[in-house]
């Protein structure tokens, strides 16, 4: 599922990122923030009453804000029992980038 | 003589670099610019442990050495020795946030690969402890092969050992002439940073409890915007209410100074130059210092505590609708006090087109210099009656002028983003730093630096433009026996008469055209210029001389003219400082020229529509 479909306070693992939906500088900035395949991510807050504003996420020990179009490019999977914030979980070892797939 | 060692501070944004810079250099700081770019160069002196002086330069924060903004470009170029106007540093202090070790170590590895003598400041170890993180600096030092010193910059802890380590390493002869970007690729560095983090962290607990608790309220879908509005309300109240007393004080000093100059100089050019030109001209700008400092106090506090990024986060949805990002909210907010600091604050916007659009619409935010103009005109023409529910008509008109400016800015941004600054919106991606209570010394230092910058400007460009205007208004003198007034005969008067051909169709008279010329220096000058014109007009007529400026305006202007005059000031770029700062921030005359052109056009159209609508309505 897409990152923005995740409900607030739930944590998930990044499955796949459609880098080609992001500009070079956006992709670079996200990587610098630690947003990569295999990393653990959690939605903390959504701006705006209708939930269409920016999204604030926890990645590692950082909080970052992004827009919906960025969150749309990020696919996550929730594993069993993965509900609260956890840091440096065992599944964070998956470091090798996967083959990018077209939408 | 060998030059003083140059030491550079590098690190991720939010690593506490500036706090460490302040702690190491105290108030001995110098602000400048790197040649050819609008990136601030911040440097200061520090004493090494053996007493030798050294120069410390605070480089802009960056997440990697692949730059995405002019600031980040400077950081990279300085530490590889390619920055114009800066020599290669003799040593680096790499600031690493202990509470966000993995992310900051990835950047640290990239910098260490350059091979420059480097000391790591493991900063914010107190906050790490608060978060339940225990980190071994020794383990990290062993793994990285460079000294790692735990510090708490805001409490001045760990500075002595840091300086000692620096003193022994600054003379390392292993400095490469041309450090090259090399070493591991991005994901390899990331993996290494992760394993280093595991080595260094002895004990850890879930992160950032305090910050997350505050965010639960500050970013709440309902309470978040209410809190933001409340803070903005407090800020505007503060800017206008708390500044009254200090402004009266500065005006008192200017008056005393003018009296002193009048007493000490003979009647003539010198007195007129000193009193009318220098003291009144520069004085009318310096009175805004209290408001600017109060505004900056709020802005520095909001930034230092970490709330400013939350405000940007909350506002991003609204800003996206006009083609900008949440980051533009901060400079636009500052522009309500004065567009000059607002335009300077656009430096934090990394996307050049976002930044340019923000600069171009900043003058549409109603700045404090328009208030005197609005106050006099509204007082004279808008009846002081209630429109019901305790709302006064005068206040409503004033509010309407603010709203007109904001709507004008939004429409202008929409239009600009589709034409001259066309392009993909850079979106909104930013780190939300943890909340922190700022050190009051850092806030005081920031305020001091702003005050100096402002006063230097008042002493520079405003001083010079005041002299030019005084000369234009004073020369040439009418020959004896001429029935023309000195102002009419002067160069400025002739310009105004010429200008009036253009201004008449929108309902302006010659007196307004005359006032608009000196008001190019600063908007509020329009008021004093009108006062001068009408007092000269009055001549020896005592009855007229006793009238207030408001009464005189009421006798000489029609209602449509007054409304057109108000509409003009919502849009007109009547401020040399704004034009000058736009030139500096955009590196040329092209964009300030465009800004002046489009704003004058808007002002002309708005005043014209207002005038003819009011005439048609029979006002």
């Amino acid at each position: 599922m897409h990152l923005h479909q995740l409900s607030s306070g739930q944590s998930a693992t990044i499955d796949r990122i459609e880098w080609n939906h992001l500009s070079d500088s956006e992709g670079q900035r996200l990587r610098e923030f630690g947003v990569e395949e295999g990393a653990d991510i959690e939605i903390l807050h959504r701006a705006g009453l209708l939930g269409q504003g920016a999204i604030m996420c926890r990645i590692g020990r950082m909080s970052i804000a992004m827009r919906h179009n960025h969150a749309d490019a990020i696919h996550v999977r929730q594993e069993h029992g993965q509900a609260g914030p956890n840091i440096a979980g065992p599944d964070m070892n998956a470091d090798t980038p996967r083959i990018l797939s077209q939408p | 003589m060998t030059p003083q060692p140059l030491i550079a501070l590098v690190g991720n944004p939010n690593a506490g670099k500036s706090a460490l810079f302040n702690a190491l250099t105290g108030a001995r700081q110098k602000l400048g610019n790197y040649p050819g770019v609008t990136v601030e160069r911040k440097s200061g002196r520090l004493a090494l442990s053996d007493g030798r002086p050294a120069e410390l330069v605070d480089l802009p924060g960056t997440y990697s050495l692949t730059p995405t903004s002019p600031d980040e470009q400077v950081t990279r170029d300085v530490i590889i020795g390619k920055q114009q106007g800066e020599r290669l540093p003799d040593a680096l202090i790499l600031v690493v946030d202990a509470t966000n070790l993995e992310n900051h170590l990835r950047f640290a590895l990239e910098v260490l690969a350059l091979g420059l003598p480097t000391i790591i400041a493991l900063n914010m170890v107190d906050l790490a402890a608060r978060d339940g993180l225990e980190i071994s600096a020794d383990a990290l030092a062993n793994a990285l092969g460079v000294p790692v010193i735990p510090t708490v910059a805001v409490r001045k802890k760990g500075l002595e050992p840091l300086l000692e380590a620096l003193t022994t390493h600054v003379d390392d002869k292993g400095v490469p002439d041309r450090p090259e970007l090399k070493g591991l690729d991005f994901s390899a560095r990331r993996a290494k940073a992760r394993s280093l983090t595991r080595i260094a962290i002895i004990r850890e607990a879930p992160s950032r409890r305090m910050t997350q608790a505050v965010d639960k309220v500050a970013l709440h879908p309902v309470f978040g915007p209410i809190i933001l509005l409340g803070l903005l309300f407090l800020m505007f109240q503060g800017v206008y209410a708390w500044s009254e007393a200090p402004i009266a004080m500065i005006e008192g000093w200017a008056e005393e100074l003018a009296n002193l100059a009048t007493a000490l100089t003979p009647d003539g050019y010198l007195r007129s130059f000193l009193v009318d030109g220098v003291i009144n001209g520069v004085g009318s700008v310096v009175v805004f210092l209290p408001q600017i400092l109060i505004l900056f106090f709020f802005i520095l506090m909001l930034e230092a505590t970490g709330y400013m990024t939350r405000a940007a986060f909350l506002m991003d949805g609204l800003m996206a609708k006009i083609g900008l990002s949440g980051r533009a909210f901060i400079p636009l907010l500052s522009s309500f006090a004065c567009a000059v600091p607002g335009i300077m604050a656009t430096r934090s916007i990394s996307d050049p087109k976002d930044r340019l659009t923000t600069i171009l619409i900043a003058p549409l935010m109603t700045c404090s210099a328009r208030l005197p103009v609005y106050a006099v005109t509204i007082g004279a023409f808008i009846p002081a009656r209630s429109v019901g529910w305790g709302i006064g008509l005068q206040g409503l008109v004033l509010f309407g002028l603010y709203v007109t400016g904001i709507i004008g800015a939004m429409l202008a941004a929409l239009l600009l983003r589709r034409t001259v600054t066309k392009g993909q919106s850079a979106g909104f991606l930013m780190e939300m730093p943890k909340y922190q209570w700022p050190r009051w010394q850092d806030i005081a230092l920031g305020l001091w630096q702003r005050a100096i910058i402002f006063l230097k400007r008042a002493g520079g460009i405003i001083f010079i433009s005041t002299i030019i205007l005084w000369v234009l208004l004073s020369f040439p003198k009418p020959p004896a026996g001429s029935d023309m007034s000195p102002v009419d005969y002067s160069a400025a008067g002739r310009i105004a008469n010429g200008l009036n051909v253009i201004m008449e169709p929108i309902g302006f008279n010659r007196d307004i055209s005359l006032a608009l010329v000196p008001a190019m220096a600063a908007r509020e000058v329009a008021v004093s210029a009108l006062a001068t014109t009408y007092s000269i007009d009055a001549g020896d007529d005592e009855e007229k001389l006793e009238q207030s400026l408001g009464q005189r305006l009421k006798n000489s202007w029609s209602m449509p003219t007054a409304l057109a005059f108000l509409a003009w000031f919502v849009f007109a770029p009547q401020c040399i400082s704004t034009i000058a700062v736009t030139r500096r921030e955009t590196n040329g005359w092209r964009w300030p020229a465009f800004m002046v052109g489009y704003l004058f056009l808007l002002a002309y159209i708005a005043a014209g529509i207002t005038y003819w609508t009011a005439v048609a309505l029979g006002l």
Side-chain angles (χ1 to χ4, degrees):
Chain A
M1 63 180 170
H2 289 289
L3 174 60
H4 69 229
Q5 291 168 317
L6 202 64
S7 32
S8 300
Q10 277 191 323
S11 129
T13 305
I14 298 175
D15 209 15
R16 181 164 63 86
I17 298 175
E18 293 169 74
W19 295 110
N20 54 347
H21 280 198
L22 302 162
S23 73
D24 286 351
S25 62
E26 286 171 335
Q28 185 195 326
R29 189 44 48 92
L30 281 174
R31 276 202 184 91
E32 288 167 355
F33 285 157
V35 178
E36 279 195 304
E37 285 91 346
D40 219 23
I41 196 163
E42 176 192 356
I43 291 194
L44 294 174
H45 300 280
R46 293 163 198 269
L49 278 175
L50 302 171
Q52 279 305 305
I55 300 171
M56 183 162 144
C57 307
R58 181 192 59 78
I59 180 99
R61 285 189 164 266
M62 277 169 100
S63 300
I64 57 166
M66 62 172 84
R67 277 190 180 163
H68 265 250
N69 62 314
H70 306 127
D72 274 346
I74 300 170
H75 298 260
V76 295
R77 81 184 117 85
Q78 261 190 303
E79 270 152 38
H80 188 65
Q82 195 173 33
N86 73 357
I87 336 152
D91 51 344
M92 284 177 80
N93 287 321
D95 207 18
T96 35
R98 289 148 206 226
I99 305 297
L100 304 181
S101 59
Q102 295 295 327
Chain B
M1 195 186 102
T2 47
Q4 286 178 4
L6 178 70
I7 297 152
L9 266 173
V10 283
N12 280 32
N14 307 311
K17 230 162 31 64
S18 295
L20 188 62
F21 179 75
N22 286 347
L24 285 171
T25 60
R28 290 162 295 176
Q29 302 183 0
K30 234 171 61 187
L31 294 178
N33 256 315
Y34 284 102
V37 283
T38 56
V39 176
E40 208 167 59
R41 181 186 189 273
K42 219 167 134 192
S43 69
R45 299 245 166 278
L46 63 80
L48 295 172
S49 304
D50 56 7
R52 268 186 303 164
E55 186 180 11
L56 184 68
V57 56
D58 186 13
L59 295 176
T62 180
Y63 291 103
S64 75
L65 293 180
T66 311
T68 58
S69 76
D71 286 43
E72 296 172 10
Q73 175 98 37
V74 163
T75 299
R76 189 196 66 171
D77 288 352
V78 168
I79 62 177
I80 60 173
K82 280 190 181 154
Q83 173 63 42
Q84 195 194 340
E86 191 82 275
R87 61 202 159 94
L88 182 68
D90 298 290
L92 302 178
I93 300 177
L94 189 55
V95 191
V96 168
D97 178 359
T99 66
N100 192 8
L101 205 52
E102 186 181 315
N103 200 281
H104 286 211
L105 278 179
R106 185 188 43 69
F107 176 60
L109 287 168
E110 195 176 1
V111 174
L112 286 171
L114 294 173
L116 290 169
T118 306
I119 316 290
I120 290 181
L122 184 65
N123 199 25
M124 306 206 236
V125 283
D126 59 331
L127 294 182
R130 188 184 75 185
D131 277 356
L133 266 176
E134 203 180 311
I135 297 167
S136 165
D138 292 339
L140 203 54
N142 284 336
L144 289 171
V146 295
V148 177
I149 317 289
T151 56
V152 183
V154 290
R155 308 262 170 275
K156 294 198 168 194
K157 277 186 192 156
L159 299 189
E160 301 248 318
L162 187 70
L163 283 172
E164 271 164 33
L166 200 58
T167 308
T168 49
H169 278 73
V170 77
D171 297 321
D172 279 359
K173 288 289 169 259
V175 184
D177 290 338
R178 261 283 139 102
E180 273 170 43
L181 297 166
K182 57 175 186 242
L184 304 165
D185 71 355
F186 190 88
S187 51
R189 263 201 306 276
R190 172 146 210 99
K192 192 162 179 207
R194 189 168 293 158
S195 67
L196 280 169
T197 309
R198 293 228 180 86
I199 294 169
I201 292 182
I202 301 168
R203 191 169 59 79
E204 69 176 328
S207 63
R208 305 175 74 178
R209 280 170 295 198
M210 195 275 269
T211 289
Q212 289 186 6
V214 177
D215 271 342
K216 273 216 161 64
V217 183
L219 299 181
H220 188 275
V222 179
F223 300 125
I226 294 176
I227 292 170
L228 176 60
L229 272 176
L231 280 170
L232 296 185
F233 182 76
L234 185 73
M235 188 165 111
F236 282 113
Q237 280 297 304
V239 165
Y240 290 119
W242 305 344
S243 61
E244 263 174 40
I247 284 179
M249 209 163 69
I250 294 174
E251 280 173 341
W253 290 340
E255 210 179 302
E256 273 174 37
L257 209 61
N259 288 340
L260 192 72
T262 310
L264 290 179
T265 52
D267 194 8
Y269 289 140
L270 180 67
R271 181 194 285 180
S272 172
F273 170 72
L274 279 178
V275 177
D276 300 338
V278 179
I279 298 173
N280 284 343
V282 177
S284 73
V285 179
V286 174
V287 289
F288 287 101
L289 182 64
Q291 292 191 331
I292 286 182
L293 289 187
I294 292 169
L295 183 88
F296 267 110
F297 170 75
F298 276 99
I299 288 176
L300 288 170
M301 281 296 283
L302 293 180
E303 269 173 0
T305 51
Y307 183 79
M308 206 53 126
T309 53
R310 270 74 180 181
F313 174 76
L314 290 170
M315 291 305 291
D316 182 63
L318 195 63
M319 302 302 284
K321 288 198 170 63
I322 57 167
L324 295 173
S325 87
R327 281 178 190 261
F329 177 68
I330 300 160
L332 291 178
L333 188 65
S334 313
S335 300
F336 277 107
C338 178
V340 172
I343 287 170
M344 288 182 345
T346 60
R347 287 175 183 171
S348 64
I349 303 172
S350 55
D351 181 71
K353 283 176 175 164
D354 260 12
R355 177 159 183 256
L356 184 59
T357 313
T358 312
I359 291 176
L360 291 175
I361 66 167
L364 287 171
M365 301 291 124
T366 299
C367 68
S368 53
R370 283 173 173 98
L371 261 192
V373 182
Y374 288 169
V376 159
T377 318
I378 289 176
F381 290 92
I382 309 295
R385 61 178 167 84
S386 168
V387 289
W389 299 299
I391 302 167
L393 184 61
Q394 293 187 330
L396 197 65
V397 170
L398 183 66
F399 181 72
L401 293 170
Y402 271 85
V403 172
T404 311
I406 295 170
I407 292 172
M410 292 174 90
L411 293 177
L414 269 176
L415 209 67
L416 290 170
R417 280 309 248 148
R418 274 162 183 71
T419 52
V420 285
T421 57
K422 198 173 177 169
Q424 187 72 42
S425 171
F428 180 64
L429 263 179
M430 74 192 286
E431 183 185 350
M432 302 273 119
K434 54 192 163 297
Y435 288 110
Q436 245 182 318
W437 193 246
R439 218 167 61 104
W440 68 266
Q441 290 98 320
D442 290 347
I443 301 285
L445 192 64
L447 280 180
W448 170 250
Q449 284 166 346
R450 297 299 152 193
I452 293 293
I453 290 171
F454 177 76
L455 290 175
K456 270 191 184 157
R457 218 184 64 235
I461 183 156
I462 293 168
F463 180 71
I464 291 163
S465 61
T466 303
I467 292 175
I468 294 171
L469 287 167
W470 176 81
V471 170
L472 286 178
L473 273 166
S474 305
F475 299 100
K477 290 276 173 209
S482 165
D483 55 356
M484 272 174 97
S485 77
V487 175
D488 249 346
Y489 199 83
S490 73
R494 291 171 199 207
I495 295 170
N497 278 322
L499 208 59
N500 204 34
V501 178
I502 311 167
M503 305 309 269
E504 227 163 2
I506 60 167
F508 284 13
N509 53 37
R510 190 219 59 182
D511 304 328
I512 296 180
S513 301
L514 185 60
L516 291 183
V517 178
M520 273 311 294
R523 293 176 172 93
E524 67 275 25
V525 176
V527 174
S528 57
L530 282 171
T532 315
T533 314
Y534 284 112
S535 70
I536 291 169
D537 255 10
D540 295 329
D541 189 335
E542 289 204 3
E543 198 185 318
K544 272 191 178 175
L545 274 174
E546 274 170 21
Q547 288 178 340
S548 70
L549 178 59
Q551 281 170 315
R552 282 185 197 150
L553 294 184
K554 214 171 172 178
N555 293 339
S556 337
W557 296 5
S558 67
M559 178 64 104
T561 296
L563 294 178
F565 182 68
L566 287 174
W568 172 271
F569 268 93
V570 172
F571 298 102
Q574 299 254 274
C575 176
I576 281 183
S577 313
T578 303
I579 298 165
V581 78
T582 305
R583 194 206 72 82
R584 206 182 70 202
E585 297 294 318
T586 59
N587 268 326
W589 282 110
R590 192 170 149 227
W591 290 111
F594 174 81
M595 187 175 88
V596 167
Y598 107 87
L599 287 177
F600 268 135
L601 189 69
L602 263 182
Y604 195 83
I605 293 170
I609 290 174
T610 308
Y611 179 73
W612 289 108
T613 309
V615 167
L617 291 173
L619 287 172

